[in-house]
C-alpha cells in the first residue's frame, strides 16, 4: 500500500464473519483429526496418504515429482521430504526421468498399494464420521460447489509451487 492512498475495506458482516470463522475452525479441527486417525491406524500422515492416492490414480502409478507437488499443492521441497519418507518405507520408489536427467518420477510400489488399501477403509470411515455423515445431500452439493468455486479462484491466482 502506498502512503497517501486510501483504501476502503468492505468488512465482513456478522453472517459472513460467522461463516468464515466456522469454516476456519472446522478446517483446523478436521485436518488434524484425519491426520491422527491415519497415524494411529497406519503410522502414515494425511500427507503420505494423499501422495499415495495421487500416485495410485496416475497412469502406471507414476508421476513426475513436480506434477506430484502440483497435484498435492505442496512445495517442491515438501514433496521431496514426503517422497523420501515413503521411499524409506518401501512404499514409493524414485526413478530418474530418461528424457530429463535432472527430473525424477515417484513410482508407487506394490507394497505402497497394499499399504494404501489397508489405510483407505479407516480413512473413509473417519471422513464419513467427521464430515460426510453430518450433511444431507443438499449440504454435500453446496460443499462441493463452494470447494469448486474457491479452487477455481485460487488456481487462477496461484503460481507454480516452489
Amino acid at each position: 500500500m502506498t502512503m497517501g492512498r486510501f483504501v476502503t475495506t468492505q468488512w465482513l458482516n456478522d453472517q459472513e464473519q460467522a461463516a468464515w470463522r466456522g469454516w476456519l475452525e472446522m478446517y483446523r479441527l478436521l485436518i488434524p483429526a484425519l491426520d491422527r486417525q491415519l497415524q494411529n491406524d497406519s503410522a502414515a500422515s494425511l500427507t503420505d496418504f494423499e501422495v499415495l492416492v495421487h500416485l495410485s490414480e496416475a497412469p502406471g502409478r507414476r508421476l513426475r515429482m513436480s506434477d506430484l507437488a502440483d497435484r498435492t499443492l505442496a512445495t517442491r521441497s515438501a514433496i521431496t521430504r514426503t517422497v523420501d519418507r515413503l521411499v524409506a518405507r518401501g512404499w514409493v520408489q524414485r526413478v530418474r526421468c530418461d528424457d530429463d536427467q535432472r527430473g525424477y518420477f515417484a513410482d508407487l510400489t506394490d507394497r505402497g498399494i497394499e499399504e494404501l488399501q489397508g489405510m483407505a477403509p479407516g480413512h473413509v470411515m473417519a471422513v464419513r464420521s467427521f464430515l460426510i455423515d453430518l450433511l444431507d445431500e443438499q449440504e454435500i452439493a453446496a460443499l462441493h460447489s463452494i470447494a469448486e468455486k474457491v479452487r477455481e479462484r485460487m488456481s487462477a491466482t496461484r503460481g507454480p509451487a516452489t
Side-chain angles (χ1 to χ4, degrees):
M1 185 160 105
T2 308
M3 292 295 280
R5 181 186 226 184
F6 294 96
V7 176
T8 302
T9 301
Q10 184 179 356
W11 298 106
L12 301 179
N13 65 34
D14 290 345
Q15 183 179 13
E16 292 165 338
Q17 184 72 257
W20 166 243
R21 288 184 179 184
W23 178 87
L24 192 59
E25 187 172 345
M26 177 189 71
Y27 172 81
R28 288 183 174 163
L29 291 168
L30 185 59
I31 297 304
L34 293 173
D35 193 55
R36 275 191 308 275
Q37 175 275 317
L38 281 163
Q39 288 186 19
N40 289 339
D41 289 359
S42 65
S45 70
L46 184 58
T47 301
D48 297 340
F49 182 81
E50 183 181 13
V51 166
L52 295 175
V53 167
H54 282 289
L55 290 173
S56 75
E57 295 170 344
R61 301 183 331 201
R62 166 185 277 198
L63 286 171
R64 286 184 70 102
M65 293 287 289
S66 57
D67 292 337
L68 187 54
D70 290 344
R71 288 184 188 200
T72 60
L73 304 177
T75 63
R76 305 290 192 256
S77 60
I79 207 64
T80 296
R81 288 189 302 274
T82 301
V83 168
D84 285 347
R85 192 169 51 249
L86 297 174
V87 166
R89 293 179 177 175
W91 300 356
V92 171
Q93 61 184 359
R94 188 177 283 124
V95 178
R96 187 178 295 277
C97 298
D98 290 334
D99 60 336
D100 176 5
Q101 290 303 305
R102 294 181 311 157
Y104 283 89
F105 288 104
D107 283 10
L108 184 60
T109 64
D110 290 342
R111 183 170 174 206
I113 281 286
E114 290 172 13
E115 293 292 334
L116 179 60
Q117 289 171 339
M119 288 179 224
H123 176 70
V124 171
M125 286 175 53
V127 169
R128 283 197 160 285
S129 173
F130 299 148
L131 180 65
I132 299 300
D133 290 345
L134 302 174
L135 307 176
D136 62 31
E137 286 183 32
Q138 292 172 330
E139 290 168 324
I140 290 171
L143 181 62
H144 180 255
S145 176
I146 292 163
E148 283 299 305
K149 287 179 182 180
V150 172
R151 185 193 58 76
E152 287 174 16
R153 170 65 56 91
M154 299 308 295
S155 294
T157 61
R158 184 177 188 267
T162 55

